[in-house]
Amino acid sequence: RVRSSAASDVYKRQLFTILLGKENLYIYQYEFLTYFLNADYILTDSFHATAFSIILNKQFVDILPGETSTRITSILKLTRTGK
C-alpha cells in the first residue's frame, strides 16, 4: 500500500536559503513565511519576496538584481507600489 503523504513529505524537506551576511540559514517553507508574517520591514532582491511583501502588505525595499529586475519592476508597476 502506498502512503498518500509521500508527496507532502517531499515538500516538508524542501529548504529555502536565506543569506544573512556571509552565513546561510536553511529553513522550511513555513518558517520562511513566518519570518515574512512577523517582519516589520523587508529588504530583498527577489521577485517572490517582493510578491509576498505586496500580498502581506509589508513595508519593503527592493534591490534590483539586474537579470530579474524586469520581473520585479513589472510587478511594482502593476501594483502601483514602485516609485
Side-chain angles (χ1 to χ4, degrees):
R1 181 174 169 184
V2 178
R3 293 180 52 191
S4 61
S5 64
S8 65
D9 290 343
V10 172
Y11 291 114
K12 289 177 187 176
R13 289 190 300 257
Q14 288 180 341
L15 299 174
F16 285 91
T17 302
I18 298 178
L19 298 176
L20 300 173
K22 294 182 181 179
E23 295 183 29
N24 290 339
L25 173 66
Y26 297 94
I27 60 173
Y28 290 99
Q29 297 97 324
Y30 66 90
E31 292 173 293
F32 179 77
L33 291 174
T34 300
Y35 281 118
F36 263 87
L37 290 172
N38 293 321
D40 294 323
Y41 207 85
I42 308 291
L43 176 64
T44 183
D45 66 350
S46 160
F47 171 80
H48 290 94
T50 300
F52 279 125
S53 298
I54 293 167
I55 291 166
L56 297 173
N57 199 29
K58 296 292 184 178
Q59 292 183 345
F60 67 97
V61 171
D62 272 305
I63 300 170
L64 299 178
E67 64 186 43
T68 59
S69 63
T70 54
R71 292 175 65 196
I72 294 171
T73 307
S74 294
I75 195 171
L76 294 175
K77 286 180 184 175
L78 286 170
T79 59
R80 299 177 188 225
T81 54
K83 292 185 178 182

